[in-house]
């Protein structure tokens, strides 16, 4: 069987693969020293997630739901 490593290096897999999806680009992106990784800390991200969970107010009833 072919391994994941072999698949990722196979020319058929790499053909037309966007540069940002290559292993080298992914390794660079996910380094925590890299400022493009995330400018937000965990608390800020969790606050955004919690705000996103709140359903918006509906200004008019929706057939049987309001």
């Amino acid at each position: 069987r072919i391994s994941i490593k072999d698949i990722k290096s196979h020319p058929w897999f790499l053909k037309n693969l966007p540069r940002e999806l290559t292993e080298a680009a992914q390794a660079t992106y996910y380094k925590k020293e890299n400022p493009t990784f995330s400018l937000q800390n965990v608390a800020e991200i969790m606050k955004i997630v919690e705000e996103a969970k709140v359903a918006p107010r509906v200004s008019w009833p929706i057939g049987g739901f309001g």
Side-chain angles (χ1 to χ4, degrees):
R1 291 187 159 213
I2 189 169
S3 69
I4 296 295
K5 181 180 177 185
D6 293 336
I7 291 170
K8 287 182 172 183
S9 64
H10 194 280
W12 181 83
F13 178 81
L14 297 171
K15 184 178 181 178
N16 299 323
L17 183 68
R19 184 177 35 206
E20 62 271 10
L21 295 181
T22 62
E23 284 194 42
Q26 291 287 306
T28 301
Y29 179 78
Y30 287 109
K31 284 184 181 176
K32 293 201 179 207
E33 306 86 51
N34 184 349
T36 63
F37 180 75
S38 179
L39 298 176
Q40 298 166 314
N41 62 37
V42 174
E44 292 170 323
I45 294 170
M46 293 309 296
K47 181 181 176 200
I48 293 168
V49 170
E50 291 305 314
E51 289 173 359
K53 291 179 181 178
V54 177
R57 282 189 42 224
V58 177
S59 58
W60 63 90
I62 300 174
F65 295 105

